[in-house]
Amino acid sequence: MSGVINIVKWVLIVIGAIAIYYGVSLQVKYNGVTGKIISEVISPTLHPESMAKVYMPMANTLLETGDITMASIVRMKVADDVTNEDVEEAMESIATEEGIRSVGMLPLSEMVELQTNAPGITKGHADFKAQRFLKIYQYCAPRTAMTMVEHSDAFSAYLPCRLALIEDKQGQRWIYTLDMNAMIYGGAPLPDYLLDKALEVQRVITRIQNGGAEGDF
């Protein structure tokens, strides 16, 4: 019996040694990230909902798809009976109603068609090479944008708010936008004044996205 106990003890010692070795290796390789994770567990600085609203959903999507971009967006399927023109009109109408400015559109698929088709070859021509529909819509609330940048210059990378209307390879249309939860909940809690503004922008963009997908304005 004592022999079995000794074997178990030595196995545990070996496992412990291996764990310590890899822990130290990770600490060195990733410049202290292990210590930072441990510190975060002991004395959290991130938003208390960061794991539930940002990092676990992101990790699940990443593991399911292998696509980090899919893990950072929100998409809404466009109803089959809603035309692209209906989507655009609905989104612009809601944006106007909500007081957020439309600051530009990028008709990317149309631009590529112009660049790749010979002069005089237009839609309806037998040799016309069509692209999957892709158009980017950009919106901004200038005062809110500046307030966010005053808090962190890095917020400028999120500006302006963008929505993309895209036709996938199966012909289904979607409206994509960045998941603002990463900005709102992914780091330390935002000051109350900034949190209120960020949540309001998220509400407006979500309404524009949903309204566009349903052609509802």
Side-chain angles (χ1 to χ4, degrees), residues 103-152:
V103 293
M105 301 180 190
L106 292 172
L108 292 179
S109 54
E110 182 179 328
M111 293 167 66
V112 173
E113 287 173 351
L114 290 172
Q115 293 170 358
T116 55
N117 286 289
I121 304 298
T122 58
K123 287 183 179 179
H125 193 285
D127 295 327
F128 181 78
K129 297 176 182 177
Q131 299 290 322
R132 289 191 290 132
F133 187 88
L134 172 57
K135 191 170 184 178
I136 310 298
Y137 305 83
Q138 302 180 97
Y139 300 94
C140 185
R143 294 176 64 181
T144 299
M146 288 305 299
T147 301
M148 295 169 72
V149 172
E150 282 298 315
H151 178 73
S152 171

Side-chain angles (χ1 to χ4, degrees), residues 152-197:
S152 171
D153 290 353
F155 278 135
S156 62
Y158 283 81
L159 304 174
C161 296
R162 289 177 294 276
L163 296 102
L165 174 58
I166 184 169
E167 177 187 5
D168 67 22
K169 294 176 182 178
Q170 288 72 47
Q172 175 62 55
R173 290 166 302 142
W174 303 83
I175 300 177
Y176 281 72
T177 192
L178 281 174
D179 186 353
M180 288 186 63
N181 278 346
M183 181 189 72
I184 297 171
Y185 303 105
L190 296 176
D192 288 344
Y193 74 91
L194 187 57
L195 175 62
D196 290 343
K197 291 181 180 297

Side-chain angles (χ1 to χ4, degrees), residues 9-154:
K9 182 172 73 174
W10 278 107
V11 168
L12 292 175
I13 289 172
V14 170
I15 292 173
I18 293 172
I20 291 171
Y21 169 77
Y22 280 106
V24 172
S25 298
L26 288 171
Q27 180 79 359
V28 172
K29 183 176 181 180
Y30 294 104
N31 193 26
V33 69
T34 307
K36 291 176 183 177
I37 292 173
I38 293 172
S39 176
E40 179 63 27
V41 171
I42 296 172
S43 180
T45 58
L46 299 181
H47 193 288
E49 295 186 79
S50 61
M51 291 302 295
K53 289 195 172 184
V54 180
Y55 298 112
M56 288 309 298
M58 184 177 287
N60 287 336
T61 302
L62 178 59
L63 292 172
E64 288 173 4
T65 65
D67 186 347
I68 188 60
T69 57
M70 283 296 294
S72 60
I73 59 90
V74 177
R75 66 176 185 169
M76 179 68 62
K77 183 182 292 186
V78 177
D80 292 338
D81 60 346
V82 173
T83 67
N84 293 339
E85 291 74 19
D86 291 338
V87 172
E88 186 168 311
E89 186 175 353
M91 292 199 301
E92 293 299 295
S93 175
I94 294 170
T96 299
E97 180 184 332
E98 291 284 359
I100 191 169
R101 293 181 59 183
S102 173
V103 293
M105 301 180 190
L106 292 172
L108 292 179
S109 54
E110 182 179 328
M111 293 167 66
V112 173
E113 287 173 351
L114 290 172
Q115 293 170 358
T116 55
N117 286 289
I121 304 298
T122 58
K123 287 183 179 179
H125 193 285
D127 295 327
F128 181 78
K129 297 176 182 177
Q131 299 290 322
R132 289 191 290 132
F133 187 88
L134 172 57
K135 191 170 184 178
I136 310 298
Y137 305 83
Q138 302 180 97
Y139 300 94
C140 185
R143 294 176 64 181
T144 299
M146 288 305 299
T147 301
M148 295 169 72
V149 172
E150 282 298 315
H151 178 73
S152 171
D153 290 353

